[in-house]
Amino acid sequence: MGYLQTDVTKVTTKVLQNMKVNGKKIAMITAYDYSMASLVEAAKIDVVLVGDSAANVMQGHKTTLPITLDEIIIYATSVVRAVSRALVVVDMPFGTYQGNSKQALASAIRIMKETGADAIKMEGGEEILESIQRILSAGIPVMGHLGLTPQSINKFGTYAVRATEDEEAERLQRDALILQEAGCFSIVLEKIPAKLAAEVTAELKIPTIGIGAGPSTDGQVLVLQDMLGITQQFKPRYLRTYGTFGEDISNAIRHYIADVKSGDFPNEKEQY
Ligand code: KIV
C-alpha cells in the first residue's frame, strides 16, 4: 500500500521531516492505553499522541486542564509498551511548563525517563519559548501546538475557530517561525482557517499536523475516540468518523446482559 511508510522500522523526527520533503502525508492519532495503542500500532500509524485530551475522553473532565503529570505518565507508559514503530509524543499537561523553564525541563525529563516516549508536545508560541529552548537543549524533541490551544480555553472563552482576524493570524505565523527557529521538529495547527494553515505549512521547513486546519497541512491528527464514533455529543465540522463503535459497544454490552439474564451464557461449550 503506497500511502503507508512501510519502509521504516521506526518513525523518527527525521522520518517525518523526509515525509514533508517528499510530499508524503503524516497520519497521527491519539491513544492513552495499551489495548488501543496496540491496534493503532498494528495499523501502522506514523505518530501516536498521548494527548492531554485524555482529561476529556479518559477522565470525563470538561477541559484538558485537570490532567496531571503523574496521570499522563501512566497513560504514556501503557502506550509505549504497545508501540515500537510509531513515534510516540506525549503532551505536557497544563501547569507543568508555563512560566518556569526549569520546571518545564524537569517535567519533560520525567516524561522521557519514566515513559520511554520519543518526544513531548507543548501548547503556545513566543510566551513559552524559554521553556522550549531549555527542553530542546537537553536533547528532548519538542512538537509545538498553535491555534486553538485547549489549555488556554479560559483565556479564549470559546472553542471557536482561532486566527480568523489578521492580528491573530500574523501572530500565529510569527509564532510558527519562532518555534521552527527554536528547533521544534513539528507543529500542530488546531482549528484555524485552511488558507492560513496552508500559508504556514508552505512557509515552514518542519512538518505541520492539522486538526480542523484544512487539507494542506503535512499531516492530520484526530482523537481516537472521536474518529471511532465512541465520543458522544462531540461533532465539530472537521471531525470525520470511521465507525459507530460507541453504538456497537453499547449493543454488545446489552447483548451480553441479555444472555446472562436469560441463562444463555455460558453454554455447554463455554464451561469446564
Ligand atoms: O490532546 C490532544 O489530543 C491534542 C490533539 C487534539 C492535537 O492536543
Side-chain angles (χ1 to χ4, degrees):
M1 285 193 275
Y3 60 88
L4 292 176
Q5 282 298 99
T6 46
D7 48 336
V8 295
T9 52
K10 175 66 192 170
V11 179
T12 61
T13 58
K14 178 90 177 123
V15 168
L16 298 184
Q17 183 61 52
N18 288 341
M19 287 174 78
K20 172 160 181 138
V21 170
N22 295 317
K24 286 197 171 35
K25 293 280 189 183
I26 299 165
M28 172 160 126
I29 205 158
T30 67
Y32 320 97
D33 68 284
Y34 179 83
S35 304
M36 288 295 188
S38 301
L39 297 174
V40 160
E41 166 78 354
K44 287 199 157 36
I45 197 82
D46 298 312
V47 185
V48 181
L49 172 65
V50 185
D52 61 357
S53 49
N56 309 123
V57 297
M58 301 299 285
Q59 301 181 337
H61 292 294
K62 285 200 163 48
T63 73
T64 58
L65 275 63
I67 195 166
T68 66
L69 190 56
D70 286 340
E71 288 166 345
I72 206 130
I73 284 173
I74 291 171
Y75 294 127
T77 307
S78 309
V79 167
V80 167
R81 281 192 204 110
V83 175
S84 56
R85 180 184 166 283
L87 185 89
V88 180
V89 181
V90 181
D91 254 333
M92 296 267 280
F94 174 69
T96 66
Y97 62 95
Q98 293 94 341
N100 183 336
S101 63
K102 286 192 180 148
Q103 184 202 10
L105 177 59
S107 306
I109 286 177
R110 271 202 66 196
I111 290 175
M112 299 301 284
K113 250 186 185 324
E114 295 178 35
T115 72
D118 301 305
I120 55 112
K121 176 164 84 59
M122 298 162 76
E123 295 183 9
E126 193 171 13
E127 71 281 9
I128 58 159
L129 181 59
E130 194 183 313
S131 293
I132 290 177
Q133 284 169 331
R134 201 179 271 266
I135 291 169
L136 284 165
S137 72
I140 299 172
V142 176
M143 177 179 268
H145 186 157
L146 298 172
L148 177 63
T149 46
Q151 291 179 12
S152 301
I153 186 59
N154 292 316
K155 182 177 81 179
F156 297 148
T158 164
Y159 284 102
V161 185
R162 302 306 310 175
T164 52
E165 304 294 331
D166 285 353
E167 195 186 333
E168 192 175 333
E170 281 159 22
R171 191 165 60 244
L172 188 145
Q173 283 177 308
R174 253 196 333 271
D175 278 339
L177 288 171
I178 286 170
L179 295 186
Q180 170 173 271
E181 184 62 26
C184 288
F185 70 89
S186 173
I187 302 176
V188 168
L189 298 175
E190 180 163 353
K191 220 169 176 189
I192 62 171
K195 185 168 168 288
L196 174 62
E199 284 167 15
V200 172
T201 300
E203 195 161 359
L204 292 184
K205 292 192 178 65
I206 58 172
T208 58
I209 313 281
I211 174 164
S216 302
T217 50
D218 299 302
Q220 298 290 331
V221 57
L222 285 176
V223 169
L224 183 66
Q225 279 76 353
D226 297 347
M227 60 84 73
L228 291 178
I230 291 174
T231 313
Q232 306 294 313
Q233 285 139 7
F234 182 67
K235 306 261 180 296
R237 189 203 297 191
Y238 68 74
L239 176 63
R240 185 180 294 181
T241 49
Y242 293 84
T244 52
F245 289 89
E247 245 177 86
D248 296 347
I249 291 170
S250 291
N251 286 338
I253 294 168
R254 272 192 214 100
H255 198 157
Y256 164 71
I257 293 169
D259 284 356
V260 170
K261 304 263 179 201
S262 70
D264 182 72
F265 174 77
N267 64 23
E268 275 190 10
K269 288 191 198 144
E270 291 162 335
Q271 57 184 279
Y272 300 98

